[in-house]
Structures are given as C-alpha cells and as structure tokens.
Amino acid sequence: MPRVVRLAAAQMGATHRTDGREKTMARMLRLLDAAAAQGAKVVLFPEIAFTTFFPRYIIHEDELESWHEQGDITTSPQTKPLFDRAQELGVDISVGFAEATDDAEHFNTCVYYSSHDGSIISKYRKIHLPGTFEPFENPDAIQQLEKRYFKPGNLGWKAFRVPGLEKNGPPEGRGDPIFGMMICNDRRWAESWRVLGLQGVEVVLCGYNTAGYAPDLWGADANMDPKEAEERALMQHKLSMQGHSYTNATFSVSAARCGYDDGKFHLIAGSCIVDPEGYILAESRTSEDEVIVADCDLDACQAGKKKTFDFGRHRRIEHYKLITEQTGVIEPPSTDGTSATVVNGTSVNGVRREKIRILLCNPNSTKFMTDNCVEMVKPTLPPDVEVIGLTASAPGPTAIEGNFDNILSAATAVRDVLPVASDFDAILVACYSDHALIRMLREELEQPIVGIMEASLFAARTLGARFGIIAVSERSNIMQADAVRHYGLESFCVGVESCDLGVLELESKPTEEVMRIMAEAGTKLVAKGADTLTLGCAGMTLLKPAVEKAVGKDVAVIDGVIAGVHHLVGLVRMGGKTAKAGFYRSSEQDRIARGQKVW
Ligand code: CDT
C-alpha cells in the first residue's frame, strides 16, 4: 500500500537587514497558510528564516544577541505565532534559526515541530559551517562569517520518526516515516547524507542561504559574469540534492532564502523536492516567496534501499577508514619518491595549507590585548605565515591575575578554540603564565601548542646565560617564580621583578608612567645579573621598546608573543606534533565511555 505524504518547501525571497520581525513573520504565516491550503502535511522553511542572513555582516557583540533566538522558540513571542499556526492547521513544520543556548553558546539550528505531538520532536545544529572566522580584507567581498558567530553543531545527524503523517497510521510491520535534517552547506557533503542514510532516512529536509556570486568565498571566479555564476551555483545545489537523494534512496526537500537582500546581496532560489531516484518532482519558479508541493510515496525509497543501495549487503567499511580519520588531503608520494604531503612545510591532520596559520588565543576576554599582540607580531612574519587572534569569549575573566582566573579562563577559552582548531597549524596561548589551557590543548590536539611564557624562556635560555622576568603584579611575581621552577629553569633565573600593576592598568594608566615603571624593573634585573629580560604579560607587548631603551642594546629583551609565534613556525616547518604516547594522550575517549562528552 502506498505511503503518500504531501511535502512542501516554503521558499522565502529577499529579507532585508532592516526588515522588522513582524513583517517577516507575516510572510511566513502566509506561506504556511498557502501550503496548508494545498494539502501539505510537512512544510520546510529556510535556514535562519526569521531574519536576514546576518553572518554576512560584522556584527558588534552588543547587537549579536538580537539576531538569535533565546529560550523555547515555540513560546518565545517573536517566533510563537508560526508554531501556533502550524498547530491550528494540523501541519508539521521545520524551520531554521540562529540559536542562543542558556549557556550563551550560539548555533545555526533547525527544529522539526510535530502538530500531532504539539511539540518539537527533533533538533539539528549545523555541522559544516562554511566561510571564515576573520572577515575578508577586500572591502567588496561578500562575507560568510558563520565560523565566527556559530559553534559547529554538537547533535550529529539524528534521524527521527514522525508520527501522524499517514492517515491510517503506518502499515502493519512498519514504523512512522523516518526524517532527517541538515542545513545548507551540509548538503554538499556526502558524509551528512550517508549518516542519515545509515539510519534508513526517507525524507531529508534542508534549508539554505547560498550566494549566487561570491568569488572571494567559493567556486565563482571574479571574472565570471554574475549570471553565469548563479547558474553554476544553482546547478551545484540541484546536483547535490539529486545525487545524494539517489545514493541514499531518500526523498529530499530543500527551501531557499533567496533574492537580493538589502537590494544587493544575492542568494539563489532553486527550492526543490527530489525523489529517491534523483528526479526533481517540484521546483520553484521565482526568486520570491513561493510554496512548492509534491506527493511523496515513501515506499518508493524501498527499491534503492533494497537493491543498489542496500548498505548492509554492499558497503565495505574496512576500506572507509580515511573518511573518519583524516580531514584534509594527503596526496600519494610523487613519482621521484619524495613525499607530496607537505606544502610550505605544513600539514596538520593531513590538511595542506598555502600558509602556516597560527592561532593566537588570548584567554583573557579582553580584545584590545589580542589586537595589540597581533599588530605587534605582524611586521615580523614571513609571507607564508599568518597569525589570527582569538579572544576568549565573555563571561570569561577579562584579566588573569590568579589561579581562579587561570582555571576559569581555560575552561572558557578551550570551548572557543576546539571548534576552530582544525583551521590552524599551531596555537599560541597568549597569557604569560603556566596557563592551564596549554596542557588542555596539548591533550586534545596534535598541533604544536606553546604559551608565551614558555616560549620566551626557551628563547632567553638560547640567547643569554641568565634571565629576569618583568612581572605585572606582586602576585604574578610569585606565580611566575613557581612556573620557572616548574619548567626546571630556576638556576638560570636571576629573579622576577614586579611592576605592582593590575593587568588592565597596563592599558588604562598613562603610557609614560607604565614605561617608566617597566624600565625600572628591567634595570633592577640587569643589576642582578640578567643578560636577557622577558616581558611578563601579553599586555606588555607594545612597551618593549621602552625597556630596550632603558637597559641598552647588549641586553636581549624578549617578547613572549613574538618568541612564541616564531617558535611555533619553526616546529610546524619541522613537521612537529604533540607527542601522544604519555602525558598528552587525549582522554576524550574515556570521557565518551563515561557518557561525558563535556566540552
Ligand atoms: N549558508 C551556507 O551554508 N552557505 C554556503 C555557502 C557556500 S560557501 C563555500 C552553501 O554551501 O551554500
């Protein structure tokens, strides 16, 4: 007996940055009514449907929350009307939105709301976040800052059963229809589909925002006619939906946010419903608000699932290991026998890069410190190295002045770093201390990790016989003396001299005064026999010249940020990786085994 369900996509045209929430909601309600009037049982809305696609803008922290949905979206006043109307109409909906969790984490999310149950029965958080963390420098570039605003999804692709779609319930021996969700960029990746395919998915839902012409971002080259670029983007969208529906023997529905946002940011249309053989059953005709529907007999999935794509009979997982073990490409050795895996000396987890990318992580949640460090190091970089700053997010400590701040800031910063770590070849922890984040990252990652204190001490040991440390406060004085002992370098250290300042005073006090205090501290250390001085705080980075002037050219003054970046560059060029045989073995698997995937 056929199991026919009428599925719909509610395509949405331009949504401008200035459009009020009510205006957009009214459009969504009209689309939902229109779909219900055509007999649809399930209506898919696009990715980030309640607002414009805001990740294309640089948005200040104060404004960012207003682009996200907080709390339960079925009851929050801004979004409730959509769910109420779905309930009234007896129609299920799936809708994408920017989610802010109670723990202040941000995800690009979608949910499936069942009118049969009167509740959300499944949630998905986008895993493949496209684009960049830092904006493109080209002022005309279309930005795609999803990596900046969202964390990669942490819910996996979980297929789920949807109750109440079949008039007389599921046929004997069969359960309710099996659905799965993914968001935009996920549709281009075979892995997203196969994970759902392996759970017997019968309908895949995918909302999207895809730029038609964005040469800085992807495929289209700058010389391409925008019309030609749009055609290519549309073709690739449909290719992805049709190809992956076929190879996983599933229906799929895709819903676009499209048109010209703000009159200039173009997004492609092309919403479509595809059957398990890969044929398009329905497709949008406009780049505006439009509903498409198709009757989908879910039993049509069985041919593919039982024959060509009977996974149980035909898959050969013993040959699929690379798919879960390796992210980037490792080419075979070249014919002259040399390895072809390394470009510019860099290959992390097999990811080849044009440039060595160092992540400078400031565990203090104070951005000007990060910016100062990046600016200071930039002129020292060779052309094939870039340093990208990351400031630990609020509410982490704004200044790290003791153990409490140390541990709290590590817990915050590790959550910021791990999701983006695979984009970097090495990581510098920009806090002058034996910071807990250093060891946490060494356990979880393979890339070389160093702190600015360690790096400056390694440099000091190479460049001089005795070093002294200019510390910020009396307390950091003690912490740094302890750290020097911990590093086993006590016998080379003439002492730690404090400036008796707070970390943030390095910026807030008059620069002349801070320079004078630091110069005095440096002079005292030289008098005790230091031939090298290290600056005991990332916030001191810009004050190095004042100390150099005070102690003269024969004393080497070492800034930990510069020392750290170049130390890491050296290790990356050497192909160095964190050793995993002992102390730095990851305990992730142990946590998973205990049911604690905590971070
Ligand atoms: N929103 C979204 O994921 N857009 C991406 C843009 C591509 S950037 C390479 C997409 O896959 O359509």
Side-chain angles (χ1 to χ4, degrees), residues 47 53 126 128 130-131 144 146 183-185 187-188 208-211 217-218:
E47 173 189 32
F53 186 66
K126 185 172 180 179
H128 294 111
Q144 173 88 15
E146 287 190 57
I183 300 178
C184 195
N185 193 253
R187 73 196 187 288
R188 305 183 192 278
Y208 60 100
N209 284 266
T210 296
L217 190 63
W218 70 335

